[in-house]
């Protein structure tokens, strides 16, 4: 459905015609632009927008189907960019992502939102409060969306770093590697990092292309050349985010390896203790088994001190084994 539709002239929102074709024609004539925002539109709802703004069918298909990687595609009449805003759920310590598709033309911006992780409402309010920036045209909208998305990436990276510190403290706690659910928590955290990485990693080449100045083949139509430094700033922030994600991924892998090593060592200790107690239990069992066979002719069978002597022998052997295992660290 259409969430918002407005015509902007000289950085200010105006009451334009309700018909999209008239609004676009008026915006082009007055040097303004149209910004229409949609949320999970159906094919029928998007068909009219496609015809009015002349959107490329391949980009329209991507916008309707969602589940796209961040990317930048250049068509004859428009640009098509995909962003994946992320949301950090503090209650469950999970990361979820949405999608924002941006169609950018000479006098229009069409944004298509999927999911809830979107900065568009706040972006529109911020731009409308800064007419000088909004007067830059569709490029200002694209920059604001990219800037808001990447800035939120930095916040999510900070939250994940805090969670990782807590997980690391649990794994290396004096209790010896946390609870039996620690491995599951580590794997779940790694999945969150992977989800985050899928949103941030593929966005780097589009941001670099928007920020690149003078490189062969780097010209991007419909983007103001003077906005390149601003996209360069966004690209720098995104680089910081990707470096943080790489660090989180490596560290969580190291923590998982350390936890598995701790678990293996603990299991070896347990097996040594079990083996030591089994060896100690085997001696009295063997002696009792021998003297429990009830043969008529057995050594010391009718000796007065046979019973206490056997008990004393078993006790002495048990003490000897216990001290031996204790000295070797098995008990």
């Amino acid at each position: 459905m259409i969430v918002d539709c407005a015509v902007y002239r000289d950085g200010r929102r105006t009451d334009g015609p309700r018909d999209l074709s008239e609004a676009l024609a008026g915006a082009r004539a007055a040097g303004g632009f149209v910004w229409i925002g949609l949320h999970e539109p159906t094919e029928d709802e998007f068909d009219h927008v496609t015809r009015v703004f002349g959107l490329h069918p391949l980009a329209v298909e991507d916008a309707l189907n969602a589940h796209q990687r961040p990317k930048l595609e250049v068509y004859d009449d428009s640009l098509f960019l995909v962003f994946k805003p992320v949301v950090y759920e503090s209650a469950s310590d999970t990361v979820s992502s949405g999608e924002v598709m941006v169609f950018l033309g000479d006098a229009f911006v069409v944004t298509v939102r999927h999911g809830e992780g979107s900065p568009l409402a706040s972006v529109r309010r911020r731009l409308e409060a800064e007419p000088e920036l909004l007067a830059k045209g569709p490029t200002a909208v694209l920059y604001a969306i990219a800037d808001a998305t990447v800035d939120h990436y930095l916040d999510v990276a900070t939250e994940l770093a805090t969670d990782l510190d807590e997980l690391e403290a649990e794994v290396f706690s004096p209790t010896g590697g946390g609870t039996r659910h620690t491995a599951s928590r580590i794997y779940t955290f790694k999945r969150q990092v992977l989800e985050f990485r899928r949103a941030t990693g593929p966005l780097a080449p589009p941001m670099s292309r928007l920020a690149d100045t003078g490189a062969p083949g780097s010209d991007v139509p419909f983007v103001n050349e003077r906005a390149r430094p601003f996209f360069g700033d966004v690209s720098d922030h995104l680089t910081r985010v990707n470096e943080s994600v790489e660090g989180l991924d490596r560290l969580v892998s190291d923590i998982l390896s350390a936890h598995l090593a701790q678990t293996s060592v603990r299991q070896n200790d347990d097996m040594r203790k079990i083996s030591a107690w089994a060896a100690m239990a085997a001696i009295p069992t063997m002696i009792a088994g021998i003297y429990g066979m009830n043969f008529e002719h057995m050594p010391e069978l009718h000796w007065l001190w046979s019973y206490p002597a056997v008990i004393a022998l078993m006790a002495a052997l048990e003490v000897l084994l216990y001290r031996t295992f204790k000295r070797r660290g098995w008990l």
Side-chain angles (χ1 to χ4, degrees), residues 2 5 12 14 22 52 59 79 86 141 158 164 190 198 212 226 237 262 267 285 296 298 322:
I2 296 179
C5 180
R12 299 189 182 278
T14 62
E22 295 180 9
V52 170
L79 297 181
V86 295
V141 177
T158 301
L164 186 59
K190 193 170 181 63
R198 287 172 177 169
D212 201 2
R226 289 178 294 180
H237 290 175
Q262 285 181 328
Q267 288 176 344
T285 301
E296 182 176 355
M298 293 183 66
Y322 180 82

Coordinates of all heavy atoms in Angstrom, one line a residue, residues 2 5 12 14 22 52 59 79 86 141 158 164 190 198 212 226 237 262 267 285 296 298 322:
I2 N 0.3 2.4 -0.4 CA 1.0 3.7 -0.4 C 1.0 4.2 1.0 O -0.1 4.5 1.5 CB 0.4 4.6 -1.4 CG1 0.5 4.1 -2.9 CG2 1.1 6.0 -1.3 CD1 -0.1 5.0 -3.9
C5 N 2.9 10.0 0.0 CA 3.2 10.5 -1.3 C 3.2 12.1 -1.3 O 2.2 12.7 -0.8 CB 2.2 10.1 -2.4 SG 2.5 10.7 -4.0
R12 N 10.6 22.1 0.2 CA 9.4 22.1 1.1 C 8.3 21.3 0.5 O 8.2 21.2 -0.7 CB 9.0 23.5 1.3 CG 10.0 24.4 2.0 CD 9.5 25.7 2.4 NE 10.5 26.5 3.0 CZ 10.9 26.4 4.3 NH1 10.3 25.5 5.0 NH2 11.9 27.2 4.7
T14 N 4.7 20.3 -0.7 CA 3.6 21.1 -1.2 C 2.4 20.1 -1.5 O 2.6 18.9 -1.6 CB 4.0 21.7 -2.5 OG1 4.4 20.7 -3.5 CG2 5.2 22.7 -2.3
E22 N 0.2 13.7 -13.1 CA 0.2 15.2 -13.0 C 1.2 15.7 -12.0 O 1.8 16.7 -12.2 CB -1.2 15.7 -12.6 CG -2.3 15.4 -13.7 CD -3.7 15.9 -13.2 OE1 -3.7 16.6 -12.2 OE2 -4.7 15.6 -13.9
V52 N 3.6 5.0 -14.5 CA 3.8 6.4 -14.4 C 5.3 6.8 -14.4 O 5.7 7.7 -15.1 CB 3.1 7.0 -13.1 CG1 3.5 8.4 -12.9 CG2 1.6 6.8 -13.2
A59 N 13.8 -4.5 -12.2 CA 13.8 -3.9 -10.9 C 12.5 -4.0 -10.2 O 12.4 -4.3 -9.0 CB 14.2 -2.5 -11.0
L79 N 17.7 4.7 -11.3 CA 18.6 3.9 -10.5 C 17.8 3.0 -9.6 O 16.7 3.3 -9.3 CB 19.6 4.7 -9.6 CG 20.5 5.6 -10.3 CD1 21.3 6.3 -9.2 CD2 21.5 4.9 -11.2
V86 N 18.7 -3.3 9.6 CA 18.6 -4.3 10.6 C 18.0 -3.8 11.9 O 18.1 -2.6 12.1 CB 20.0 -4.9 10.8 CG1 20.5 -5.6 9.6 CG2 21.0 -3.9 11.3
V141 N 17.5 12.5 -0.7 CA 16.7 11.4 -0.2 C 17.6 10.1 -0.2 O 17.6 9.4 0.8 CB 15.4 11.1 -1.0 CG1 14.6 10.0 -0.4 CG2 14.6 12.4 -0.9
T158 N 27.5 -2.3 18.0 CA 27.9 -2.0 19.4 C 27.1 -3.0 20.3 O 27.7 -3.5 21.2 CB 27.6 -0.6 19.7 OG1 28.3 0.3 18.9 CG2 27.9 -0.3 21.2
L164 N 28.7 -10.2 22.9 CA 29.8 -11.1 22.7 C 30.7 -11.0 24.0 O 31.3 -12.1 24.4 CB 30.6 -10.7 21.5 CG 31.8 -11.6 21.1 CD1 31.3 -13.1 20.9 CD2 32.5 -11.1 19.9
K190 N 26.5 -16.7 16.4 CA 27.1 -16.7 15.1 C 26.1 -16.5 14.0 O 26.4 -15.9 13.0 CB 27.9 -18.0 15.0 CG 28.9 -18.0 13.8 CD 29.8 -19.2 13.8 CE 30.8 -19.2 12.7 NZ 31.7 -18.0 12.7
R198 N 25.2 -10.4 6.1 CA 24.5 -10.4 4.8 C 23.9 -9.0 4.4 O 23.7 -8.7 3.3 CB 23.4 -11.4 4.8 CG 23.9 -12.9 4.8 CD 22.8 -13.8 5.0 NE 23.2 -15.2 4.9 CZ 22.5 -16.3 5.3 NH1 21.2 -16.1 5.8 NH2 22.9 -17.5 5.2
D212 N 32.8 7.2 -5.4 CA 34.0 7.3 -6.3 C 33.9 8.5 -7.2 O 32.8 8.7 -7.9 CB 34.1 6.0 -7.1 CG 35.6 5.8 -7.5 OD1 36.4 6.7 -7.2 OD2 35.8 4.8 -8.2
R226 N 28.1 16.8 -6.6 CA 28.6 17.4 -5.3 C 28.2 16.5 -4.1 O 28.6 16.8 -3.0 CB 28.0 18.8 -5.2 CG 28.6 19.8 -6.2 CD 27.9 21.1 -6.0 NE 26.5 21.1 -6.5 CZ 25.7 22.2 -6.5 NH1 26.2 23.3 -6.1 NH2 24.5 22.1 -6.9
H237 N 31.9 4.9 7.0 CA 31.2 4.3 8.2 C 30.8 2.9 7.9 O 31.0 2.0 8.8 CB 29.9 5.1 8.5 CG 30.1 6.5 9.0 ND1 29.1 7.4 9.2 CD2 31.2 7.1 9.4 CE1 29.6 8.5 9.7 NE2 30.9 8.4 9.8
Q262 N 37.6 -26.7 25.9 CA 37.3 -26.8 27.3 C 36.4 -28.0 27.6 O 36.6 -28.8 28.6 CB 36.6 -25.6 27.9 CG 37.6 -24.4 28.0 CD 36.8 -23.2 28.6 OE1 35.6 -23.0 28.3 NE2 37.5 -22.4 29.3
Q267 N 35.8 -33.5 29.6 CA 35.4 -34.9 29.4 C 36.5 -35.8 29.6 O 36.4 -36.9 30.2 CB 34.8 -35.1 28.0 CG 33.5 -34.4 27.7 CD 33.0 -34.5 26.3 OE1 33.8 -34.8 25.4 NE2 31.8 -34.3 26.1
T285 N 37.0 -56.4 44.0 CA 36.1 -57.3 43.3 C 36.8 -58.5 42.9 O 36.3 -59.7 42.9 CB 35.5 -56.6 42.0 OG1 34.8 -55.4 42.5 CG2 34.6 -57.4 41.3
E296 N 37.2 -76.4 47.7 CA 37.5 -77.0 48.9 C 39.0 -76.8 49.3 O 39.3 -76.6 50.5 CB 37.2 -78.5 48.9 CG 37.5 -79.2 50.2 CD 37.1 -80.7 50.2 OE1 36.5 -81.1 49.2 OE2 37.4 -81.4 51.2
M298 N 41.8 -74.4 48.9 CA 42.3 -73.1 48.6 C 43.3 -72.6 49.6 O 43.2 -73.0 50.8 CB 41.1 -72.0 48.5 CG 40.2 -72.3 47.4 SD 38.9 -71.1 47.3 CE 39.8 -69.6 46.9
Y322 N 44.8 -45.0 45.3 CA 44.3 -43.7 45.4 C 45.4 -42.7 45.5 O 45.3 -41.6 44.8 CB 43.5 -43.6 46.7 CG 42.9 -42.3 47.0 CD1 41.7 -41.9 46.4 CD2 43.6 -41.4 47.8 CE1 41.2 -40.6 46.6 CE2 43.0 -40.1 48.1 CZ 41.9 -39.7 47.5 OH 41.3 -38.5 47.7

